[in-house]
Amino acid sequence: MSEVKMQKVETKRPRMAVEIAGLKLKNPVMPASGTFGYGEEYAPYLDLNQLGAIVTKGLSLKPKAGNNTPRICETVSGMLNAIGLQNVGVDAFITHKMPFLEQINAPVIVNFFGNTQEEYAEVAARLDDVPGVAGLEMNISCPNVKHGGIVFGTEAVAAHEVVSLVRKQTSKPLIVKLTPNVTDIRVTARAVEDAGADAISLINTLTGMAVDVKTRKPRLANTIGGLSGPAIRPIAVRLVHQVVQEVSVPVIGIGGISRAVDALEFLIVGAKAVQVGTANFVDPNAMATIIDGLENFCQNEGIEDINELVGTLEV
Amino acid sequence: MKNYKTIILSNQEIAPGYCRMRILAPGYHKMASPGQFIMFRVQRSLPPLLRRPFGIFRIGCLPADCDGMPDKEYIEIIYKVVGSGTEIMQELHEGDRIELLGPLGRGFELGDPDEEKILVGGGIGLVPLFMLAEKLVETSRVRLLMGGRSREDIIAVTEFERLGVETYVSTEDGSLGEEGLVTQVLQRKLEKYPRASVFACGPMPMIDAVQKICAANKTPLQVSLEALMACGVGACLGCVVKGAGHSDAEPRYLCTCKHGPVFRAEQLDWNRLENQAADCGGCK
Ligand SMILES: Cc1cc2nc3c(=O)[nH]c(=O)nc-3n(C[C@H](O)[C@H](O)[C@H](O)COP(=O)(O)OP(=O)(O)OC[C@H]3O[C@@H](n4cnc5c(N)ncnc54)[C@H](O)[C@@H]3O)c2cc1C
Ligand SMILES: Cc1cc2nc3c(=O)[nH]c(=O)nc-3n(C[C@H](O)[C@H](O)[C@H](O)COP(=O)(O)O)c2cc1C
Ligand code: FES
């Protein structure tokens, strides 16, 4: 028998790293705000170091109580929530939650919100000094209490104003998170880009409602809540598709992602990265499975770098 | 705390509308304490989307097989069929693959062994009390007051008795045991055993009445609560209850999944809990 030299087949793993607004992520997968607490809640189930980034629960200037219960309700392939943005407040976050997050080998993106322009600006200013904070994600799906409760993100002018103001307060990468509850999302996307957003993430939840037919009461104490989960994915993909054509800043896709194929849809329409929300509740290991799945997909398709996939939609 | 992909060892109806499921769960003996719960993923496909929370009834172990299979540690849950998820669970069979997240939350504090222990429960509220009773009987005198609307709500009586627990049954319609509310029985027992401590789990109106009696008697009380849950690990903030001293200016929310489901009575804001209970479509 002739000697056959065993050649080690070098299977080259695809490059998974992406860059968004100067943030270097080892892969394009991160949690969606409000579904991953402050990171530590999921540490027993998932190695947080493997995530592209960590995105915190939305923070406000002062601690926020949130809504009455019931705050959640399951719907067909989705859920409604009206948590009411309960959070510990920016100062407690910096003292009590940041030390844990600083140990994680992944950029920390802090989600924040306000009910006035000034509040937004002040939270951004406080976070600007915190070294462990890699970037900010600004949730503009909040009512402006000084303007009859109109949601900042539903009016291009209001969105432009508040993002411009925040832009002046921070040198950190600023991601603006859009609400889908608008007539034409391209208008708000353009407005926030023009106001200085370094990146755009979408979608936040779609407003929805469910009724208990026996008691004839709304299922949520707040009556109306935000719909998330697999049920919203086609809408989210469509909105991301529309936004990437409109803006030149990078886009992060969110909405109903629970498997690698779901994430791929967003990348193909043009998102540079994705956030996983409700799926974390169903499977605490969901993001790890998605990261593996993305890598395997690239490998099988002969894609050397995941960035090659972004925006490859054939129409 | 772990997320297991595991299998069902058995799944049977034990009373009309109640089923008992045995699930392979290595390591639970060491990890789980009485009062903790699990999040059960009903099936890998959708719907139902969210996991369902269930208390741990007991932990057991099947001895090693002669063919060399190791010990099989398992948990048992008892569930009432009430909706989409439990309807699917009822159809599951031995060998079916499921996912289990747990053990979760904070369980009961066992307290001073010399004290009398009174457990109060009804319906599925009896579930977490079994594992608690198993522990308590090792050191203390344990009495269990079981109550419910009718005889269907009284489950696992003989099993509790086999542990050496003194059981007292009452039903509102008198179909089993004494006719009336379990709280009347509690009132009498506390007069007889004023130094007892109380552990309760059941429908919110019952828990609330128990709290009033215990507060009046200055009796230490621990309660196990139910809440609608999405994550089970303290991340979604869907399952909160108002803690003692809560106000809008100084919110003191506690997560039922993480800080509970068992709370010492003094941790909670009872005025507000009553109102919340009325809101909670889930509470039976
Ligand atoms: C800590 C804890 C321990 C529990 N232990 C037990 C137990 O040992 N045995 C048992 O039979 N039941 C127990 N329950 C209640 C059990 O979780 C619900 O009966 C079950 O989730 C109903 O699911 P379903 O899909 O059949 O009902 P559906 O009404 O179709 O469920 C819809 C949604 O509401 C939620 N939900 C409905 N009822 C309740 C409820 N009472 N509490 C919490 N969520 C609810 C479901 O999880 C689901 O998200 C416990 C609940 C909690 C919070
Ligand atoms: C329980 C819950 C809490 C949320 N809290 C926030 C929040 O604080 N800030 C925010 O910008 N988005 C919040 N969201 C929206 C998510 O970040 C995400 O945009 C949305 O859920 C859609 O993604 P999904 O379908 O993957 O869940 C929350 C969603 C859920 C389900
Ligand atoms: S169930 Fe999510 S915080 Fe308790």
Side-chain angles (χ1 to χ4, degrees):
Chain A
M1 248 174 83
S2 66
E3 255 188 38
V4 182
K5 230 188 188 171
M6 288 293 287
Q7 219 176 16
K8 214 176 133 201
V9 191
E10 264 295 315
T11 45
K12 225 171 133 206
R13 298 303 287 165
R15 283 187 299 277
M16 296 292 286
V18 300
E19 196 176 321
I20 287 180
L23 293 170
K24 292 189 168 55
L25 318 184
K26 57 176 92 63
N27 62 60
V29 180
M30 63 189 103
S33 175
T35 66
F36 208 62
Y38 303 101
E40 57 196 9
E41 291 82 353
Y42 278 99
Y45 308 102
L46 183 73
D47 176 9
L48 304 184
N49 298 302
Q50 62 187 316
L51 301 176
I54 293 183
V55 183
T56 67
K57 173 77 190 158
L59 294 169
S60 48
L61 193 55
K62 296 266 141 58
K64 202 158 184 268
N67 292 327
N68 280 330
T69 54
R71 291 175 166 190
I72 53 172
C73 139
E74 188 175 80
T75 57
V76 179
S77 288
M79 63 178 281
L80 286 167
N81 89 79
I83 305 298
L85 293 168
Q86 179 186 336
N87 77 94
V88 296
V90 69
D91 292 334
F93 168 79
I94 294 167
T95 0
H96 300 302
K97 307 292 178 182
M98 236 5 248
F100 171 83
L101 287 167
E102 262 168 311
Q103 297 164 27
I104 310 297
N105 179 24
V108 176
I109 298 172
V110 176
N111 182 291
F112 72 101
F113 68 94
N115 285 116
T116 61
Q117 288 192 353
E118 297 72 30
E119 263 181 68
Y120 271 105
E122 197 163 341
V123 185
R126 299 244 181 136
L127 290 165
D128 197 46
D129 307 330
V130 184
V133 175
L136 303 182
E137 182 179 54
M138 181 175 172
N139 172 6
I140 56 169
S141 307
C142 295
N144 182 346
V145 292
K146 288 203 182 153
H147 263 273
I150 294 196
V151 174
F152 286 99
T154 58
E155 271 202 344
V157 176
H160 190 279
E161 270 181 29
V162 72
V163 174
S164 306
L165 200 64
V166 165
R167 178 72 286 177
K168 293 195 196 103
Q169 304 298 322
T170 184
S171 51
K172 298 207 193 271
L174 178 64
I175 304 163
V176 177
K177 182 168 176 179
L178 300 184
T179 167
N181 305 308
V182 292
T183 320
D184 187 348
I185 198 145
R186 291 170 296 191
V187 178
T188 35
R190 264 198 315 264
V192 304
E193 179 182 45
D194 188 56
D198 297 310
I200 289 174
S201 59
L202 75 159
I203 60 175
N204 211 318
T205 53
L206 287 147
T207 43
M209 181 172 167
V211 178
D212 182 330
V213 297
K214 284 213 186 104
T215 60
R216 302 195 188 180
K217 284 186 181 171
R219 286 199 180 269
L220 298 175
N222 191 52
T223 305
I224 288 171
L227 184 65
S228 66
I232 71 168
R233 197 179 71 243
I235 302 172
V237 172
R238 186 263 296 179
L239 289 165
V240 169
H241 171 64
Q242 288 183 309
V243 168
V244 292
Q245 289 168 293
E246 203 61 32
V247 299
S248 50
V249 292
V251 169
I252 303 172
I254 321 167
I257 298 173
S258 43
R259 303 164 302 172
V261 282
D262 306 340
L264 284 164
E265 282 194 66
F266 284 91
L267 298 180
I268 290 168
V269 299
K272 268 206 127 180
V274 293
Q275 294 182 2
V276 176
T278 304
N280 296 313
F281 304 155
V282 182
D283 179 3
N285 213 36
M287 286 190 284
T289 314
I290 292 170
I291 294 165
D292 282 349
L294 288 178
E295 206 170 330
N296 290 337
F297 179 86
C298 290
Q299 179 117 36
N300 296 339
E301 299 286 314
I303 296 163
E304 285 173 16
D305 187 321
I306 193 148
N307 289 289
E308 289 168 28
L309 257 176
V310 174
T312 53
L313 184 73
E314 306 259 359
V315 276
Chain B
M1 295 180 287
K2 264 196 176 138
N3 183 38
Y4 277 129
K5 290 190 169 72
T6 182
I7 56 164
I8 293 171
L9 297 176
S10 65
N11 187 29
Q12 278 163 346
E13 188 168 61
I14 52 163
Y18 287 93
C19 299
R20 180 191 285 219
M21 186 185 280
R22 191 177 275 191
I23 308 162
L24 191 67
Y28 264 63
H29 247 307
K30 275 218 179 103
M31 286 192 293
S33 61
Q36 285 192 296
F37 69 103
I38 53 123
M39 291 289 275
F40 186 96
R41 187 167 181 191
V42 178
Q43 55 186 18
R44 290 198 57 86
S45 59
L46 310 169
L49 180 70
L50 301 173
R51 291 180 186 231
R52 282 11 186 187
F54 295 98
I56 302 172
F57 177 68
R58 60 180 282 265
I59 299 173
C61 193
L62 294 171
D65 285 356
C66 24
D67 55 6
M69 282 290 283
D71 287 2
K72 281 188 190 150
E73 219 176 298
Y74 62 80
I75 60 164
E76 280 180 5
I77 59 172
I78 294 183
Y79 60 96
K80 190 174 180 180
V81 180
V82 295
S84 60
T86 44
E87 271 161 25
I88 296 171
M89 286 171 67
Q90 195 182 16
E91 303 296 324
L92 296 174
H93 297 287
E94 179 187 346
D96 283 349
R97 285 155 192 277
I98 54 112
E99 259 179 63
L100 202 65
L101 182 65
L104 299 168
R106 282 202 202 151
F108 293 100
E109 289 163 19
L110 300 180
D112 181 351
D114 297 331
E115 278 167 8
E116 299 266 349
K117 304 291 193 297
I118 300 179
L119 319 189
V120 186
I124 55 143
L126 291 164
V127 172
L129 298 183
F130 188 81
M131 207 172 139
L132 173 68
E134 271 185 320
K135 269 270 158 19
L136 292 177
V137 290
E138 288 171 10
T139 54
S140 316
R141 187 83 183 262
V142 183
R143 294 180 172 80
L144 169 65
L145 320 184
M146 307 169 106
R149 212 163 294 153
S150 77
R151 62 185 312 147
E152 278 83 52
D153 298 318
I154 310 299
I155 52 172
V157 186
T158 41
E159 271 167 287
F160 276 106
E161 284 176 345
R162 246 184 271 141
L163 291 178
V165 173
E166 264 175 55
T167 58
Y168 301 85
V169 174
S170 58
T171 52
E172 285 166 48
D173 65 1
S175 54
L176 197 69
E178 181 179 324
E179 182 175 336
L181 294 170
V182 71
T183 39
Q184 296 164 356
V185 189
L186 175 64
Q187 186 75 57
R188 284 204 310 268
K189 292 292 167 205
L190 284 180
E191 278 159 23
K192 216 164 154 191
Y193 310 105
R195 286 198 57 247
S197 47
V198 174
F199 305 76
C201 182
M204 208 51 216
M206 186 203 93
I207 298 243
D208 214 60
V210 168
Q211 188 272 334
K212 287 207 173 78
I213 294 170
C214 288
N217 288 283
K218 296 201 165 55
T219 304
L221 168 67
Q222 294 175 54
V223 297
S224 178
L225 300 183
E226 279 186 8
L228 295 170
M229 292 182 177
C231 70
V233 301
C236 74
L237 306 179
C239 67
V240 295
V241 286
K242 285 165 183 159
H246 175 96
S247 69
D248 285 347
E250 249 181 87
R252 298 240 174 99
Y253 275 119
L254 300 167
C255 285
T256 306
C257 68
K258 194 169 106 182
H259 306 111
V262 178
F263 296 96
R264 279 176 285 109
E266 59 275 18
Q267 286 179 279
L268 301 171
D269 179 347
W270 287 92
N271 297 323
R272 293 168 185 256
L273 215 60
E274 220 171 343
N275 302 333
Q276 288 181 64
D279 288 344
C280 174
C283 294
K284 291 181 290 285

